[in-house]
Amino acid sequence: MIDYANAGDLAVITLNAPGRRNALGLDGLHALAEAYDRAEADGARAVLLRGEGPSFCAGRDISGVDPATDDVAGYLDDTLSPLLRRMASFPAPTFAAAHGACLGVGLGLLIVTDVVFVADDAKIGSPFAALGATLDSGGHALFVERLGTHATLDLIYTGRLLTGEEAVRAGLFSRVVAASEIQDATELAARRTASGPTEAFRASKRIVTAIRDERLGLWEAMALENRAQAALARTDDYREGFAAFQAKRAPAFTGR
């Protein structure tokens, strides 16, 4: 089950099947995509993704799946990959609170989220070696980029899972937080961002994505920054930020 709530400018999307450790089948993937569509339609200035119960997401829900007839390509190519692309392309800032099991698909959801706070009790990676399967959801790309080939294949061959502290130390995710504080800390950061200069954040997200995907160098990235700054200078929030700074008061951004 996917729960959706829009509290002001922050959309909160909750994986709410704790009895299955929030594992996701086809219905769950479709519902999650619809939740992101709804958040964009509602004009959310930030999104928080979280999991109910002891885990964030333990991966694919394989209960009742017959491996002899399982349409793996349909699950991955037709449903999971489009969902991950949808999440990655969400125009406003996105946050995730990751705790407990963050495996397989659960790892993929984190990979395509902008800012990921990870609990110190998190277990991150893939148990697929025990299933005769391989890491998916973009895990190979993230691990090779951040960990290198040797550490990546070590994790894949052995099935060892990373702790939250190891994942953050390796640069996989944003910061590690005590498990007892993970939900509150991530929501606080998301709410603060939702009340910030949204168009500026959107511009930075586009620039960072371009640098990553297009392998841009310093001067190409600087050209993008210059164009973005010129466009932002015409926004209400830019003028408000300048006025607040000059008046030595806190800015009141509207997202416009």
Side-chain angles (χ1 to χ4, degrees):
M1 176 184 292
I2 307 297
D3 293 339
Y4 176 87
N6 192 337
D9 293 316
L10 177 66
V12 180
I13 300 172
T14 303
L15 311 180
N16 192 5
R20 298 195 300 274
R21 296 195 298 169
N22 298 320
L24 292 167
L26 286 173
D27 289 345
L29 296 180
H30 287 305
L32 190 53
E34 290 171 0
Y36 277 80
D37 288 343
R38 183 175 175 185
E40 184 167 0
D42 286 345
R45 293 166 64 186
V47 170
L48 169 61
L49 177 65
R50 58 180 299 277
E52 190 65 43
S55 294
F56 172 69
C57 177
R60 181 186 180 191
D61 185 0
I62 60 172
S63 58
V65 173
D66 182 351
T69 59
D70 183 23
D71 182 10
V72 176
Y75 177 85
L76 295 174
D77 292 335
D78 299 337
T79 308
L80 178 59
S81 291
L83 165 66
L84 297 179
R85 286 181 178 275
R86 174 68 184 99
M87 292 173 61
S89 66
F90 192 84
T94 59
F95 290 75
H99 69 291
C102 308
L103 309 176
V105 173
L107 171 61
L109 300 181
L110 301 181
I111 290 173
V112 295
T113 299
D114 297 342
V115 177
V116 179
F117 287 8
V118 185
D120 52 12
D121 73 342
K123 299 298 181 185
I124 298 164
S126 169
F128 289 173
L131 299 174
T134 191
L135 181 63
D136 59 28
S137 304
H140 285 88
L142 178 70
F143 283 1
V144 170
E145 177 186 349
R146 307 293 169 80
L147 304 177
T149 58
H150 293 91
T152 296
L153 291 174
D154 180 5
L155 292 173
I156 291 172
Y157 294 165
T158 64
R160 187 177 77 83
L161 302 178
L162 295 170
T163 66
E165 185 173 347
E166 286 177 317
V168 171
R169 191 187 313 129
L172 297 176
F173 300 118
S174 309
R175 68 178 81 171
V176 64
V177 180
S180 60
E181 302 172 5
I182 185 68
Q183 302 294 347
D184 289 343
T186 315
E187 182 170 347
L188 178 61
R191 288 194 181 282
R192 285 176 173 170
T193 301
S195 65
T198 306
E199 290 305 317
F201 292 154
R202 287 173 182 252
S204 286
K205 182 169 181 172
R206 290 192 298 269
I207 292 168
V208 168
T209 300
I211 291 171
R212 180 197 64 203
D213 292 349
E214 302 172 30
R215 300 290 192 269
L216 300 184
L218 173 64
W219 305 114
E220 294 167 308
M222 192 179 297
L224 291 182
E225 292 169 343
N226 294 349
R227 288 198 292 272
Q229 203 76 291
L232 289 168
R234 298 190 293 272
T235 65
D236 292 342
D237 279 348
Y238 187 94
R239 289 186 286 271
E240 165 61 12
F242 258 72
F245 184 84
Q246 291 167 337
K248 296 182 173 57
R249 60 172 174 80
F253 293 121
T254 62
R256 297 189 294 272

